[in-house]
């Protein structure tokens, strides 16, 4: 028994060291391009951000027609255009621009090269935050330190997460807030969101209001980074279902009341999401004439036009470079191959999907409450891969929001396999773990050497 404890402690320390190594990889050679501006999105974002500034007042922040943080055209009080904006086709969210610009001005790195470097460091730190949230989510779902450490270690060594941490783009920002949203969903799923009062009538609990509200808050911030991540909103329904699935009711009337309370909580999350989006994405709103304030809910035509252009390009209708590269790509299969062979590497890429399929099987066949722990990471991973994998544009980085949850499932699968095997049969899960972890480490280390 003493030897087993020593071995267990050694494995925990080893996994923790792997996590630290993965974090350090995110900060290796942040000047990898020697100022050549090789990433087109980073180039565009840098050009825009260097021409923006943090508004001097809250009024200016919300007054889109003249805001110093809005990339769109400037207008007078009569609604007539008076100046071109830095980027009138900006389609990225405003929250990452606000955070990067705030930090750059705070540490006086607003020059072209300095701002881009600062943005890269901030982007890398956002992914470190993603790893920390993943660890917390794993502990809440499985109550198992080993699964949390292993899943986080695999995510820290995933090549695509390391690569994206070297660019000043909005992807890591959106994944960070996506993980905070999923953390809220996990808390909702574990809550007693409704409880019988003294008269045996079901009532909402205070914690239900808190976590459904936080879900809406973090979802709004996620959408203020990337608008297409609005699909994450489906997870509040999944979480609410888990929370009320096993509540004992004595009549159809009670069942209807529980369902309606769950529905209204989801609606409450949606309302908080809209308000949050309004706060962190003010450039999406503008009055045709006069000033724009927080209470202005008229859509900014410039922003809407940029969304239409983006939709056209991402649907293949727009055509032309660089969209032609996505023509005749097999939906789901093409991004899956990119994820397995490049984004994660073959050992980890295959492991996450074997574990994902096993998790899907366990959800339907498990006779325990294990399905409650698995449903959120399994549903989100499969749902988002199908959603993004069927879009016309199938960039490998567009799958980043599921990398952490898929790595979590790989950690769960390997630990579950170890515990289901006994005696000499444990040689098989041990070898599987060494292959996945060792192969992922080799894959990421080889990649970092090329930076």
């Amino acid at each position: 028994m003493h030897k087993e404890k020593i071995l267990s402690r050694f494995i925990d320390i080893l996994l923790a060291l792997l996590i630290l190594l993965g974090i350090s990889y995110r900060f290796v050679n942040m000047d990898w391009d020697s100022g050549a501006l090789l990433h087109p999105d980073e180039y565009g974002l840098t050009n825009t951000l260097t021409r923006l500034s943090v508004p001097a007042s809250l009024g200016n922040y919300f007054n889109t027609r003249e805001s110093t943080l809005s990339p769109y055209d400037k207008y007078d009080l009569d609604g007539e255009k008076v100046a071109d904006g830095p980027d009138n086709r900006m389609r990225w969210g405003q929250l990452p621009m606000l955070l990067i610009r705030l930090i750059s001005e705070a540490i006086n790195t607003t020059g072209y090269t300095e701002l881009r470097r600062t943005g890269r460091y901030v982007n890398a730190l956002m992914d470190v935050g993603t790893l920390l949230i993943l660890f917390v989510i794993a502990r809440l779902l499985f109550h198992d330190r080993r699964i949390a450490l292993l899943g986080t270690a695999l995510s820290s060594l995933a090549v695509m997460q390391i690569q994206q941490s070297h660019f000043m783009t909005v992807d890591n920002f959106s994944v960070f807030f996506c993980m905070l949203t999923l953390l809220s969903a996990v808390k909702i799923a574990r809550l007693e969101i409704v409880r019988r009062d003294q008269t045996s009538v079901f009532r909402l609990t205070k914690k239900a209001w808190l976590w459904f509200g936080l879900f809406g808050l973090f979802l709004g911030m996620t959408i203020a980074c990337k608008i297409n991540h609005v699909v994450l909103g489906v997870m509040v329904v999944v979480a609410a279902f888990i929370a009320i699935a096993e509540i004992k009711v004595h009549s159809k009337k009670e069942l209807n009341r529980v369902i309606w309370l769950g529905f209204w909580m989801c609606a409450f999350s949606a309302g908080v999401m809209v308000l949050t989006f309004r706060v962190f994405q003010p450039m999406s709103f503008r009055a045709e004439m006069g000033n724009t304030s927080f209470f202005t809910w008229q859509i900014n035509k410039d922003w809407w036009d940029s969304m239409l252009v983006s939709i056209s390009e991402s649907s293949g209708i727009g055509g032309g470079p660089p969209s032609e590269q996505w023509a005749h790509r097999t939906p789901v299969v093409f991004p899956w191959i990119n994820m397995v062979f490049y984004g994660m590497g073959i050992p980890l890429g295959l492991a996450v999907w074997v574990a994902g399929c096993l998790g899907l099987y366990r959800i339907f066949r498990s006779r325990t409450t294990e399905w409650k722990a698995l449903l959120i990471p399994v549903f989100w991973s499969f749902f988002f891969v199908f959603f993004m994998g069927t879009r016309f544009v199938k960039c490998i980085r567009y799958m980043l929001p599921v990398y952490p949850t898929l790595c979590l499932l790989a950690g769960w699968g390997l630990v579950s396999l170890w515990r289901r095997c006994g005696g000499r049969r444990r040689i098989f899960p041990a070898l599987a773990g060494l292959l996945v972890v060792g192969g992922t480490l080799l894959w990421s280390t080889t990649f970092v050497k090329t930076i």
Side-chain angles (χ1 to χ4, degrees), residues 192-197 200-205 247 261:
E192 184 183 27
I193 65 172
V194 295
R195 181 185 301 162
R196 294 181 186 273
D197 63 11
S200 294
V201 177
F202 282 110
R203 305 287 184 187
L204 291 166
T205 62
I247 293 178
L261 288 174

Side-chain angles (χ1 to χ4, degrees), residues 157-329:
L157 295 171
V159 173
M160 182 52 54
Q161 287 183 249
I162 294 172
Q163 185 200 58
Q164 291 305 307
S165 296
H166 286 74
F167 305 141
M168 186 184 71
T169 56
V170 304
D171 298 278
N172 280 1
F173 288 86
S174 62
V175 175
F176 173 78
F177 290 112
C178 171
M179 291 300 291
L180 282 175
T181 309
L182 289 176
L183 174 60
S184 301
V186 170
K187 293 293 290 186
I188 291 170
R190 290 170 47 81
L191 278 179
E192 184 183 27
I193 65 172
V194 295
R195 181 185 301 162
R196 294 181 186 273
D197 63 11
Q198 295 178 347
T199 61
S200 294
V201 177
F202 282 110
R203 305 287 184 187
L204 291 166
T205 62
K206 291 181 179 180
K207 287 188 177 180
W209 288 98
L210 170 64
W211 286 104
F212 276 95
L214 286 175
F215 183 97
L217 173 68
F218 295 135
L219 177 60
M221 297 175 82
T222 303
I223 301 170
C225 295
K226 293 192 75 171
I227 190 71
N228 59 358
H229 288 179
V230 67
V231 297
L232 178 62
V234 71
M235 296 308 300
V236 74
V237 179
V238 176
F241 168 76
I242 297 172
I244 67 176
E246 296 183 350
I247 293 178
K248 294 181 180 180
V249 295
H250 305 305
S251 65
K252 185 177 180 180
K253 182 179 179 180
E254 285 190 342
L255 176 62
N256 289 337
R257 178 168 178 77
V258 169
I259 293 174
W260 272 106
L261 288 174
F263 169 81
W264 285 116
M265 279 290 90
C266 292
F268 171 64
S269 288
V272 174
M273 177 271 290
V274 172
L275 289 174
T276 304
F277 181 77
R278 180 67 185 90
V279 170
F280 292 107
Q281 185 79 5
M283 67 181 185
S284 297
F285 305 88
R286 178 173 62 84
E288 286 189 12
M289 299 179 65
N291 289 316
T292 298
S293 70
F294 171 77
F295 301 101
T296 302
W297 289 85
Q298 187 171 347
I299 297 297
N300 180 3
K301 187 178 182 302
D302 292 335
W303 175 79
W304 184 250
D305 288 343
S306 71
M307 291 299 102
L308 292 178
V309 171
S310 179
I311 291 172
S312 175
E313 292 174 350
S314 62
S315 64
I317 298 175
S323 296
E324 73 275 10
Q325 65 181 300
W326 310 116
H328 309 298
R329 303 295 188 183

Side-chain angles (χ1 to χ4, degrees), residues 39-61:
H39 193 298
D41 289 354
E42 186 181 55
Y43 169 73
L45 192 57
T46 304
N47 285 340
T48 301
L49 269 174
T50 51
R51 299 170 62 189
L52 302 179
S53 63
V54 176
S57 66
L58 197 60
N60 182 263
Y61 175 78

